[in-house]
Structures are given as structure tokens and as C-alpha cells.
Amino acid sequence: MMVSTRGRYALRVMIDLAKQDRGSFIPLKDTAQRQGISEKYLESIVKALTRAGLLEGLRGKGGGYRLTRPAEEYTVYEILKLTEGSLAPVSCLECEGKTCERAAQCPTLPVWQKLDQMIREYFEGITVADLAFGQQEGNDYVI
């Protein structure tokens, strides 16, 4: 599994917005400038985040984007799953509900299933608030 720039930038946008005034719409150009990311590229990312209900957008003067819920309610897993499509370590685990034809005799399947579970649990345990406002006690990541 490799997280794309799209996934990494989506996290950066969400963190940036969490750090701003929660009631205000933040212009995309301001976020792009703070993050050093092309505004054009961010447009496609925030469009997907807005479509999924993670962000709310407002056009025109005073417009921009803001989070639709508190930063504590967004997990890294939710954002990466949306932007990446799959976080499965191997392709045979990507098809939800569809079992690989070799699953019954695959000696490595339990390894991949455990890794997939570990990835999910790890990313579900980290919120945008954790990343925006610093390390929380008990977490093993450094900000």
C-alpha cells in the first residue's frame, strides 16, 4: 500500500481547516498558499471531500470551505479510504464481499488479512484533531 499525493493532500487540507475558525468558510487559495499546494489540484480534492459530506463549500464573497463536523469525528482512515479507494495491502482483499478463488488454499491470506486489519485499526485510531492539535497521550505517532 502506498498513499498517493491525493490522499496526503486531503489530510493536509482537513488538518488546515481544523486549525482555522470552525464557523468560518476558509478560501481555498488561503489553504493552498499555507500548504504550498497548487490551488487547481486542491480543487479536485475538496470537490471529492465535499461530495462525500466531509466539507461544506460556499461560493462567492466570503466563500470557501469548512468542516461539516468537529475535527475529532474525522479519522485518517475515513479520509484515506475516500481518496485512495482502498487501503488493502494486496489486491485480493480489495474486492469487498468477493472472495478470491484461491482463498481456501492460500497460505499467506491470514498474513494479509491481519495486516489489512492493523492498517484499518491504526488509521481509525487517529483523528484530524490529533494531527491538527498535537500528539495525544498513548498514541505512537509524532506530529
Side-chain angles (χ1 to χ4, degrees), residues 13-24:
V13 167
M14 297 295 286
I15 293 164
D16 188 88
L17 292 174
K19 290 181 175 182
Q20 308 309 312
D21 179 13
R22 284 175 53 168
S24 300

Side-chain angles (χ1 to χ4, degrees), residues 107-119:
T108 62
L109 182 60
V111 172
W112 305 129
Q113 289 172 326
K114 179 67 175 176
L115 179 58
D116 189 45
Q117 176 187 352
M118 290 169 66
I119 290 167

Side-chain angles (χ1 to χ4, degrees), residues 5 12 65 81 103 113 130 134:
T5 55
R12 288 171 55 185
Y65 295 90
K81 179 86 167 121
Q113 289 172 326
D130 294 334

Side-chain angles (χ1 to χ4, degrees), residues 49-70:
L49 294 170
T50 302
R51 203 175 312 120
L54 278 65
L55 296 180
E56 178 182 10
L58 179 67
R59 293 180 181 259
K61 186 175 171 90
Y65 295 90
R66 68 180 178 192
L67 302 179
T68 57
R69 25 186 235 256

